[in-house]
Amino acid sequence: MVSFLLSLVALVLGYLFYGKFVAHVFGPDDRPTPAVTKADGVDFIVLPSWKIFMIQFLNIAGTGPIFGAIMGAWYGPVAYLWIVLGCIFAGAMHDYMSGMLSIRHGGAGLPELVGKYLGGTTRKVMLVFSVLLLMMVGVVFVYSPAIILESICGSKMFWIIAIFVYYIIATLLPIDKIIGKVYPLFAISLLFMAAALMIGLIVKMPAIPELWDNLSESNLNANPAWLGAEPFMSKNPLFPCLFITIACGAISGFHATQSPLMARCMKSEKLGRPIFYGSMITEGIVALIWATVSMYFFYYGGWREVVSPEVVQQFTAQAADGGKTLVQYFDAPTVVKLVCSSWLGVAGGVLALLGVVAAPITSGDTAFRSARLIIAEAIGLEQHSMHRRLYICIPMFVAAILLLVWQMNNPDGFNVIWQYFGWANQTLSVFTLWTLTVYLVQRQKPFIVTLVPALFMTVVCSTFLLISKQALGLQSTVAYTGSIIILVLALVWFFAWYTKYQRTIHS
């Protein structure tokens, strides 16, 4: 628990100090924002700052800081390092800079920003890449909550249709009509659940591994409480899989597609730090809480407290016969429901339902909304008129339905889409970080704040592509050697471009 408390303090201090430094690097001022200069009552509209924070938090959170942290906790306390350092120095900075850059460019979406600083060809790649990513988010977050709701009442098909109809309505209507009214309630519920669990942790003070006790994979595999670490670790090596698994709690490229939504609703640039940087730090805290809960759950018998004796007996018998390991037996949604209902009672059950069902839905609808705006911006189609919104939404939702049908008819469809989403999500952050680096270089500002995360995430994503069984599936030695070569090439490219740019501006 000492590691948890220190990590919690570090995230708060990160917002207070490094967040202030990042804001100073960017330099917000009093210029009119797009919400004022381009107000259209649909997407560009001034909203109260507290409401923007709640919407931004839920847009970027969803179930990411919950499910990702639960799965990331399988790697042990080293997950604390990635959540804290990744959130402060990469994720929160990434969200703040991308949101502020959108404000400075009239509320522009991510592909337009990438194209401006990395070139027209990269813009076209990012246009297709972003829309496909957002479509995957929307489809995945139709199917997963429908499965959970089916176990409560109604049929899966009924809930799929109901969620999809909601997505269509939320995508078409002005942002303040549904999203602006419903999101704050869901965000408060998600934050309340996290706060209640943190209080539960402090009261229980469970004996869980500390960061300094368990930094290496060898120690992790030697832990008898791990129940199957070696098969898991051999298929999912800590580097790079931890950095792909915990995305929304540390850094996520998906956030750069969401920040422009709120950049179009802010009345002042000076709100950027609490809204963009602050919401990501808040998400990091949520991830930290769930990682700690999960380590107790998986490592030191916490699961025995929240299931019936029959389930304990059943699992023990299966494990003895070489059946499922603990991490296979209890998936992320199950952990959420068990912990919340046991620790928080009836209210916890309701909050678990909101966290596991409402959170992905609120990420899915804004994913489709972002896709609509990105496409509209690319083809120059104004979105004030309903019929012009339909021009984009009809083919977009038809394509989404086809992808959803494929997913439902493919036994492993959900896992396939989710795996590609995980890699695509972090690859999107790579493009965003390099865009921000070029921007800071051109403005003659300290670009080191974005360059180091850009290089790190470039290596993470390239290594995952080389080593993953879903991609090239190379041997670990070859994959890691390839990632080092890619790092060197990235450094050479950047400093060659930087030298050439400096000569150009001084000539």
Side-chain angles (χ1 to χ4, degrees):
M1 283 293 290
V2 176
S3 299
F4 166 71
L5 295 174
L6 290 176
S7 299
L8 186 65
V9 171
L11 284 173
V12 174
L13 293 176
Y15 171 78
L16 294 175
F17 295 102
Y18 195 72
K20 188 175 182 179
F21 170 72
V22 169
H24 175 73
V25 169
F26 187 88
D29 55 34
D30 295 323
R31 73 184 68 190
T33 63
V36 177
T37 60
K38 301 174 71 172
D40 62 2
V42 178
D43 299 304
F44 293 84
I45 181 171
V46 173
L47 293 177
S49 56
W50 68 269
K51 186 173 287 189
I52 298 175
F53 174 86
M54 291 295 188
I55 296 173
Q56 173 72 4
F57 169 68
L58 207 55
N59 278 357
I60 66 173
T63 54
I66 301 175
F67 290 0
I70 290 172
M71 292 184 286
W74 299 345
Y75 291 94
V78 71
Y80 286 144
L81 279 179
W82 175 228
I83 292 173
V84 173
L85 299 179
C87 190
I88 293 172
F89 297 104
M93 178 277 299
H94 165 280
D95 292 8
Y96 173 81
M97 289 283 189
S98 60
M100 296 301 291
L101 197 60
S102 176
I103 293 177
R104 285 285 171 91
H105 291 82
L110 182 60
E112 296 300 316
L113 297 175
V114 171
K116 181 173 179 60
Y117 293 99
L118 298 185
T121 301
T122 312
R123 172 187 171 276
K124 293 174 184 176
V125 172
M126 284 303 299
L127 177 61
V128 175
F129 197 84
S130 299
V131 172
L132 287 177
L133 174 69
L134 292 167
M135 294 280 283
M136 284 192 288
V137 172
V139 170
V140 165
F141 288 160
V142 169
Y143 194 69
S144 55
I147 293 174
I148 297 168
L149 288 168
E150 180 188 27
S151 65
I152 300 172
C153 63
S155 68
K156 180 169 64 179
M157 184 55 65
F158 168 80
W159 287 114
I160 286 174
I161 294 172
I163 293 169
F164 211 86
V165 169
Y166 164 75
Y167 280 0
I168 294 172
I169 295 171
T171 302
L172 287 169
L173 291 183
I175 197 166
D176 62 328
K177 298 303 180 186
I178 293 182
I179 293 175
K181 289 182 169 59
V182 176
Y183 272 41
L185 173 63
F186 290 149
I188 290 170
S189 300
L190 192 60
L191 289 170
F192 180 79
M193 176 173 64
L197 289 173
M198 183 170 68
I199 292 172
L201 282 171
I202 293 173
V203 170
K204 288 176 176 290
M205 290 297 287
I208 59 176
E210 298 292 354
L211 180 59
W212 43 87
D213 295 332
N214 205 336
L215 278 173
S216 69
E217 291 186 23
S218 59
N219 286 339
L220 184 61
N221 292 326
N223 190 332
W226 179 237
L227 296 177
E230 178 51 41
F232 174 79
M233 295 296 286
S234 61
K235 294 179 181 178
N236 306 275
L238 191 148
F239 188 91
C241 292
L242 172 65
F243 306 94
I244 299 291
T245 303
I246 300 182
C248 291
I251 181 172
S252 167
F254 172 68
H255 297 182
T257 68
Q258 301 301 291
S259 292
L261 293 179
M262 294 300 97
R264 300 177 178 114
C265 300
M266 290 167 49
K267 65 181 180 181
S268 170
E269 284 192 354
K270 294 180 180 178
L271 295 172
R273 181 179 164 223
I275 289 173
F276 295 129
Y277 200 98
S279 60
M280 184 59 205
I281 291 293
T282 305
E283 185 176 3
I285 291 173
V286 172
L288 194 69
I289 292 168
W290 274 106
T292 306
V293 168
S294 303
M295 277 184 258
Y296 174 50
F297 185 94
F298 288 115
Y299 276 81
Y300 283 93
W303 65 282
R304 296 174 182 269
E305 295 181 6
V306 297
V307 301
S308 65
E310 292 77 17
V311 174
V312 174
Q313 259 185 351
Q314 183 182 14
F315 169 76
T316 305
Q318 288 187 7
D321 293 336
K324 292 182 177 179
T325 63
L326 195 63
V327 299
Q328 293 172 322
Y329 197 83
F330 295 106
D331 58 16
T334 302
V335 173
V336 172
K337 288 188 287 186
L338 287 173
V339 170
C340 286
S341 59
S342 175
W343 288 24
L344 308 179
V346 177
V350 175
L351 289 170
L353 181 64
L354 285 173
V356 179
V357 176
I361 291 175
T362 53
S363 289
D365 59 6
T366 51
F368 281 119
R369 190 180 190 91
S370 296
R372 169 176 69 81
L373 291 166
I374 286 173
I375 295 170
E377 192 171 37
I379 63 178
L381 187 66
E382 64 87 11
Q383 294 293 280
H384 178 68
S385 307
M386 174 63 77
H387 69 278
R388 293 183 183 274
R389 281 174 252 160
L390 288 170
Y391 288 159
I392 296 174
C393 286
I394 290 175
M396 180 177 71
F397 280 114
V398 168
I401 290 171
L402 293 175
L403 184 59
L404 182 61
V405 170
W406 175 86
Q407 177 183 258
M408 293 172 63
N409 292 330
N410 189 321
D412 201 36
F414 176 85
N415 291 331
V416 170
I417 293 177
W418 186 259
Q419 287 165 355
Y420 281 107
F421 163 72
W423 174 80
N425 180 34
Q426 296 301 61
T427 301
L428 201 64
S429 73
V430 172
F431 281 97
T432 305
L433 289 167
W434 282 113
T435 298
L436 296 171
T437 301
V438 172
Y439 167 79
L440 292 179
V441 168
Q442 292 181 354
R443 296 301 183 279
Q444 299 184 13
K445 294 185 176 184
F447 58 85
I448 193 71
V449 298
T450 55
L451 176 61
V452 172
L455 290 168
F456 181 77
M457 292 308 299
T458 297
V459 173
V460 166
C461 292
S462 59
T463 306
F464 186 80
L465 189 62
L466 294 172
I467 205 171
S468 173
K469 301 300 182 184
Q470 285 76 42
L472 298 180
L474 301 177
Q475 292 183 347
S476 58
T477 303
V478 177
Y480 291 136
T481 302
S483 66
I484 293 172
I485 294 173
I486 290 172
L487 172 62
V488 173
L489 291 175
L491 279 168
V492 170
W493 168 82
F494 173 75
F495 284 109
W497 172 84
Y498 179 78
T499 303
K500 182 179 178 181
Y501 178 77
Q502 291 297 317
R503 288 174 181 169
T504 301
I505 63 174
H506 291 104
S507 61

